Amino acid sequence: MLKRSKYCGQISEEDLGKELVLCGWVHRVRNHGGVVFIDLRDREGIVQVVAEEKTYPQAYEVADSLKSEYVIAVRGTVRRRPPGTENPKLKTGNYEVLAQEIQILNTSDPLPFPVDEETHISEELKLRYRYLDLRRESMKENLLFRHRAYQVIRRVFLKHGFVEIETPFLTKSTPEGARDFLVPSRLHPGKFYALPQSPQLFKQILMVAGFDRYFQIVRCLRDEDLRADRQPEFTQIDFEMSFVEEEDVMNFSEELICTLFSELLGIELKRPFERISYTSAMERYGTDKPDRRFGLELIDLTDIFKNTEFKVFADAIKSGGVIKAINFKASNLSRKEIDELTQFVQSLGAKGLAWIKVEEGKLNSPIVKFFNQQEIEELLKRTHAQAGDTIFFSADQKETVYKILGNLRLHIAKKYKLIDESKFDVLWIVDFPLMEWDEEENRFVALHHPFTSPKEEDIPLLKQALETPHIEEKKELISKVRARAYDMVINGYEVGGGSIRIHKREVQDLVFKLLGISQVEAEEKFGFLLNALRYGAPPHGGLAFGLDRLIAIMRGLDSIRDVIAFPKTQKGVCPLTGAPDYVSPKQLKEVHIKEMG
RNA sequence: GGAGCCGUAGUUCAGCCCGGUCAGAACGCCGGCCUGUCAAGCCGGAGGUCGCGGGUUCAAAUCCCGUCGGCUCCGCCA
């Protein structure tokens, strides 16, 4: 067998006149009768191989029989292409390899879809034949980019003295958070391991162990429904530091992100990253992960309508809600377009969508007739309304208004292409509430996770909240308690989040109590962490980045499937392997599982 | 659990709204020609359970119901 001496994509000036051996896949064949052109492709790119009948008849004969995606080895000489026949689309387009010998290493059946960038293939087919999909230039580049990111990440961590340590995949199911994937234990009938949602507890324990700075690029697993940016298994860049405060973790995180952007994209992000509070993000964008590359900010109008005759608005205010609006400037929307947007918000659970089209000298709207002159004037002023604008309203409980307008804002931006895709909007969200009331569970739940430290100055509020028997007062007090947490957001995606952790047993007990986790339950589920906190736990904090999201954003991709070699479909299926699948009764018996009728 | 979009040759799609030469195109595939192409070109050919099941109708790719699958979103995701 001929042994490769160079990658196709790396043929350059220095190879002129040299004889070398290339190995790769037949990307395309162009047979002109007497001369055959082969675009030969490998990991590094494509080069044109020429087989001429008159110079090397044997090589020509083989070339003549080649089909798409045959695997071949070519021995030949690099030469400059004849003037006028260069191909500027190829990196190697000034050269070609005159084949002296061609060996067919393997043939290929006709492909189920072409290995090119032009054809849009359905996700199911792409994943079933992932090995063909990954031969495509863009997919190959996505994975090579990800590979380069790993190298940069490791270098930055090493530079700062972080220690890479692996944590268990077979671990203990813990309450709170996402649904666990469970693994039945063969040796312990009826017992289960859980696959980790993240190495959270282990990294904290490593801090107690004194490793001081830990990192890991690690798979995390959550049994929840999928989205374009959510897979059941995904990768975190996880790290934790001892003897630090928020600034230290955020500072390091910024360096890591800046280095990635600089080295992989040649983009210098401005430091420090801007910070906005959770409350301000919610009020202005209706979400805690705002995309600020376009306007359409939420405008509060509650005070303007506090005495309004308009029943919908009045009712919302009366029941403690708010009135907010967004102004789609210069949109000149048709009635049909407004109807489409109405349908969109209805799919989010809104009853309808109130709107005003601002026209030259008049307002076109089904609701202005309910407003008095003063309300109209103030609302137009507050929203900076001009002819051509369309103003959309939402009046409801705060959470609902945020959800409706936050999503409408994004929907409009995408639909009407208001987003400058060449920009990266990077920011921190800080001052998260520590907990929020969960109506369904009828208790407080941690916004981040139960090990997140409250701000020192807010701890008295927690104690007060614990003592008061009045639930409304409790809610009021708790809502004021802020967490020492921080999320990094890029282009409207949460790419990372972390916090300073609780390292004092008493504080952890206090938080568990307020979360309604009993002493017994806490001991049973998190006892190992609580115990660790007794034995000299240093103050510590950390953060975890979603590597898949980060890479997808950097590559300008909409779905993290495109940066994962073998992802799952929206139903959690792997079309390549057929997982998940049934297992034999014998296997089930071994792990003590009986099928339900 | 819910909403929306999609499903027609190997592939990408048109046809569906208005039921009746609507089984079509391009690429790919097969055969032939061709010495400078590069998404080569020219000539010829094969190829479809219109996702699946049911219903309406004289007649269904087309209308209706159900179901499966893919995608996007809501819920869910500390």
Side-chain angles (χ1 to χ4, degrees), chain A residues 79 122 172 201 247 293 353 375 457 593:
Chain A
R79 66 184 187 192
S122 81
K172 189 178 156 88
L201 300 180
E247 292 305 320
R293 291 172 299 172
L353 182 61
E375 285 166 345
E457 62 268 32
I593 287 185

Side-chain angles (χ1 to χ4, degrees), chain A residues 533-547:
Chain A
L533 293 182
R534 293 174 200 270
Y535 299 102
H540 62 282
L543 182 145
F545 286 107
L547 179 69

Side-chain angles (χ1 to χ4, degrees), chain A residues 158-356:
Chain A
L158 294 189
K159 183 178 154 199
H160 289 269
F162 284 80
V163 179
E164 185 168 5
I165 301 175
E166 292 182 81
T167 51
F169 267 44
L170 294 175
T171 182
K172 189 178 156 88
S173 178
T174 53
E176 307 283 304
R179 190 176 297 111
D180 286 319
F181 278 105
L182 298 175
V183 180
S185 162
R186 176 179 58 85
L187 298 174
H188 300 272
K191 291 188 176 178
F192 292 81
Y193 299 99
L195 302 176
Q197 300 175 23
S198 86
Q200 182 60 37
L201 300 180
F202 288 105
K203 69 177 175 177
Q204 290 190 239
I205 288 170
L206 286 169
M207 292 303 101
V208 179
F211 282 96
D212 191 82
R213 289 181 168 210
Y214 139 94
F215 86 99
Q216 190 179 189
I217 299 175
V218 63
R219 198 69 56 81
C220 299
L221 302 108
R222 298 177 186 176
D223 189 5
E224 298 290 350
D225 286 359
L226 290 83
R227 287 282 192 286
D229 64 344
R230 275 164 35 188
Q231 283 273 312
E233 47 181 318
F234 61 101
T235 303
Q236 281 190 349
I237 308 169
D238 189 49
F239 69 93
E240 194 78 5
M241 310 161 83
S242 288
F243 313 110
V244 293
E245 298 178 300
E246 291 88 327
E247 292 305 320
D248 304 291
V249 178
M250 293 164 88
N251 203 22
F252 173 78
S253 302
E254 289 186 9
E255 178 173 337
L256 179 60
I257 296 302
C258 285
T259 310
L260 280 168
F261 272 77
S262 171
E263 296 197 9
L264 298 178
L265 296 176
I267 290 172
E268 305 302 326
L269 298 174
K270 232 174 64 195
R271 284 182 71 182
F273 298 168
E274 209 177 315
R275 298 176 191 189
I276 69 175
S277 73
Y278 172 84
T279 310
S280 150
M282 295 304 288
E283 283 173 358
R284 292 169 62 188
Y285 305 102
T287 173
D288 61 355
K289 43 185 170 75
D291 187 337
R292 304 178 304 169
R293 291 172 299 172
F294 58 96
L296 291 174
E297 286 191 27
L298 278 57
I299 303 158
D300 190 76
L301 306 173
T302 314
D303 58 316
I304 294 177
F305 291 104
K306 59 182 183 289
N307 297 317
T308 188
E309 305 273 307
F310 184 36
K311 197 166 178 316
V312 176
F313 283 13
D315 285 353
I317 293 175
K318 202 170 7 161
S319 56
V322 296
I323 319 280
K324 283 183 175 267
I326 57 179
N327 182 0
F328 187 3
K329 302 291 288 179
S331 48
N332 292 306
L333 292 181
S334 68
R335 188 56 199 263
K336 198 178 155 207
E337 289 171 301
I338 292 174
D339 285 347
E340 190 276 330
L341 296 175
T342 304
Q343 267 181 16
F344 173 77
V345 297
Q346 279 171 338
S347 78
L348 296 172
K351 293 170 211 92
L353 182 61
W355 52 271
I356 296 177

Side-chain angles (χ1 to χ4, degrees), chain A residues 204 208 450-451 501-513 517-524 526-538 540:
Chain A
Q204 290 190 239
V208 179
F451 319 105
R501 328 294 182 187
I502 296 167
H503 67 283
K504 292 236 163 88
R505 172 75 196 240
E506 314 82 75
V507 181
Q508 188 67 70
D509 284 344
L510 181 61
V511 168
F512 277 156
K513 266 185 203 149
I517 301 173
S518 72
Q519 194 88 28
V520 176
E521 194 185 357
E523 202 57 54
E524 204 219 318
F526 307 109
F528 59 104
L529 177 72
L530 296 177
N531 278 336
L533 293 182
R534 293 174 200 270
Y535 299 102
H540 62 282

Side-chain angles (χ1 to χ4, degrees), chain A residues 7 19 91 145 152 293 312 319 325 343 349 374 380 383 457 467 469 500 505 553 577:
Chain A
Y7 280 115
E19 180 181 302
K91 203 169 60 181
F145 183 94
V152 173
R293 291 172 299 172
V312 176
S319 56
Q343 267 181 16
Q374 190 193 346
L380 292 180
T383 56
E457 62 268 32
E467 277 153 23
I500 299 301
R505 172 75 196 240
I553 291 166
T577 60

Side-chain angles (χ1 to χ4, degrees), chain A residues 448-518:
Chain A
H448 200 64
H449 58 54
F451 319 105
T452 297
S453 176
K455 294 212 177 195
E456 193 72 32
E457 62 268 32
D458 294 346
I459 291 182
L461 293 172
L462 279 180
K463 290 184 175 152
Q464 269 177 270
L466 189 63
E467 277 153 23
T468 177
H470 308 294
I471 186 67
E472 285 312 316
E473 190 186 339
K474 224 185 252 287
K475 285 187 194 173
E476 178 64 24
L477 285 163
I478 293 269
S479 73
K480 288 185 187 148
V481 178
R482 292 159 302 162
R484 296 182 71 181
Y486 30 81
D487 275 3
M488 191 187 288
V489 175
I490 305 183
N491 294 355
Y493 289 92
E494 182 198 326
V495 295
S499 63
I500 299 301
R501 328 294 182 187
I502 296 167
H503 67 283
K504 292 236 163 88
R505 172 75 196 240
E506 314 82 75
V507 181
Q508 188 67 70
D509 284 344
L510 181 61
V511 168
F512 277 156
K513 266 185 203 149
L514 283 161
L515 290 173
I517 301 173
S518 72

